[in-house]
Amino acid sequence: MESLIGVKLGCLFALLALTLVCGLSPICSKWFKIDAATGRHRRVLSLLGCTSAGVFLGAGLMHMTAEALEGIESEIQKFVGQNRTRTKGNSSNDAGSAFVQYPCGELVISLGFFLVFLLESLALQCCQGAAGQSTVQEEEWGGNPAFDFHTHESLRSPKQSPFRAFVLLLSLSFHSVFEGLAVGLQPTIAATVQLCLAVLAHKGLVVFGVALRLIKIGTGARWATSSILSLAFMSPLGLALGMTIAAGDSEGWKGLAQAILEGLAAGTFLYVTFLEILPRELSSSEAPLAKWGCVAAGFTFMAFIAMWA
């Protein structure tokens, strides 16, 4: 038991260290600042951004959505199975079968998508009369232009708001907590190490992509660093929670609530990926095939990692 706890503590520090290194290195390096880049340097940064977009696409579809669907389905089947043992009536069995066949996981993910859509629409509606691109960011961040856009950006509208950057960080934070929770709940050393390696394999690229995203929309260094720091502690927090409840169980409403939150986080992540990240990276007509190749490469890597995650 002590050796298992030691391995989990090692995984905790590994997750924290990797997230900090991959997240803070682009922020601390001037090479990644696209507003100061020209020529080939700028093209390389643009292709790197497309690769990170592919990573986000793969993380959303192959990891977050897949895990949410699997978790919701298993929890619903467990819930229906428990009810069947308590009641033996045919009507309840038929109702339970219909409930299991309904795409509940897809519904929860869609609700997460539309929840962010609604919140952003409300923010834009309330700030409709304000000026330019500073509207949403000043309302949502207390007048502090922590997320500011540069004049060279090709997509400039109130809809390209810092709210989406906040949603991206929030959804990834939820997902990171659940990843750490899964590692902390593993009963053996082998299972803990295997799952931790799978998380580490894609965690670094995702956090690196988040840092690039924050730099590209003009986030101040102080806010970007704070965002990465908060994101870095999410997986260790989840792992610590998993260790504390490893002796308990995840039956009943606790497991179902966790699966639903994961589904909502997946829906919000898909919203940001398809309506913010991919459109901005592919807005320029320069080197379209190269951009497609970079997006496909990022997605392929995440799909490959999904074999173990």
Side-chain angles (χ1 to χ4, degrees):
M1 179 62 70
E2 293 182 358
S3 58
L4 177 60
I5 294 176
V7 169
K8 290 183 178 180
L9 289 176
C11 293
L12 186 151
F13 287 108
L15 287 170
L16 179 61
L18 180 74
T19 307
L20 290 176
V21 171
C22 294
L24 295 179
S25 55
I27 296 174
C28 298
S29 175
K30 295 182 178 179
W31 191 86
F32 292 97
K33 299 187 183 301
I34 195 169
D35 56 335
T38 57
R40 179 175 295 180
H41 183 192
R42 189 177 184 83
R43 287 193 294 270
V44 170
L45 288 178
S46 177
L47 294 178
L48 191 60
C50 290
T51 305
S52 68
V55 170
F56 282 122
L57 182 63
L61 294 177
M62 304 299 295
H63 293 268
M64 296 182 71
T65 302
E67 292 170 9
L69 291 174
E70 181 181 359
I72 293 173
E73 181 181 356
S74 65
E75 290 297 330
I76 288 177
Q77 288 180 348
K78 187 187 302 182
F79 178 76
V80 173
Q82 291 174 352
N83 286 343
R84 284 178 177 175
T85 58
R86 296 171 185 171
T87 60
K88 298 181 179 180
N90 293 329
S91 58
S92 62
N93 289 340
D94 294 339
S97 300
F99 188 63
V100 170
Q101 293 175 0
Y102 187 82
C104 297
E106 288 82 353
L107 177 62
V108 172
I109 294 173
S110 301
L111 289 177
F113 183 96
F114 279 100
L115 176 62
V116 182
F117 192 5
L118 174 62
L119 292 177
E120 187 170 12
S121 299
L122 289 174
L124 292 173
Q125 182 69 30
C126 294
C127 305
Q128 201 168 29
Q133 73 273 17
S134 63
T135 299
V136 179
Q137 66 191 40
E138 291 185 2
E139 288 292 329
E140 292 176 0
W141 296 91
N144 187 349
F147 292 82
D148 193 13
F149 295 104
H150 298 285
T151 56
H152 68 267
E153 290 288 345
S154 59
L155 291 177
R156 290 186 60 209
S157 69
K159 290 186 178 180
Q160 300 299 332
S161 69
F163 179 73
R164 289 177 178 175
F166 174 74
V167 168
L168 174 65
L169 289 168
L170 187 63
S171 60
L172 279 176
S173 295
F174 270 110
H175 184 62
S176 297
V177 169
F178 296 137
E179 282 181 334
L181 187 64
V183 175
L185 289 173
Q186 295 305 306
T188 63
I189 293 178
T192 300
V193 173
Q194 181 180 4
L195 184 57
C196 183
L197 290 176
V199 172
L200 289 172
H202 75 273
K203 184 80 172 178
L205 270 181
V206 171
V207 176
F208 187 82
V210 170
L212 289 181
R213 195 85 237 138
L214 294 176
I215 293 172
K216 194 160 189 178
I217 66 174
T219 310
R222 182 168 60 90
W223 279 101
T225 302
S226 300
S227 300
I228 294 298
L229 286 175
S230 62
L231 182 60
F233 282 96
M234 291 300 107
S235 287
L237 175 62
L239 197 151
L241 290 175
M243 293 174 63
T244 58
I245 64 175
D249 56 64
S250 59
E251 295 180 359
W253 64 270
K254 292 183 180 180
L256 184 59
Q258 176 182 333
I260 290 175
L261 287 175
E262 181 81 16
L264 292 174
T268 60
F269 191 86
L270 291 178
Y271 179 90
V272 177
T273 300
F274 284 104
L275 295 184
E276 163 73 7
I277 297 174
L278 284 173
R280 289 178 72 86
E281 294 298 342
L282 302 178
S283 60
S284 173
S285 59
E286 181 182 2
L289 286 179
K291 289 185 175 182
W292 178 90
C294 290
V295 173
F299 179 86
T300 300
F301 180 81
M302 299 304 290
F304 181 75
I305 295 299
M307 295 174 61
W308 296 278

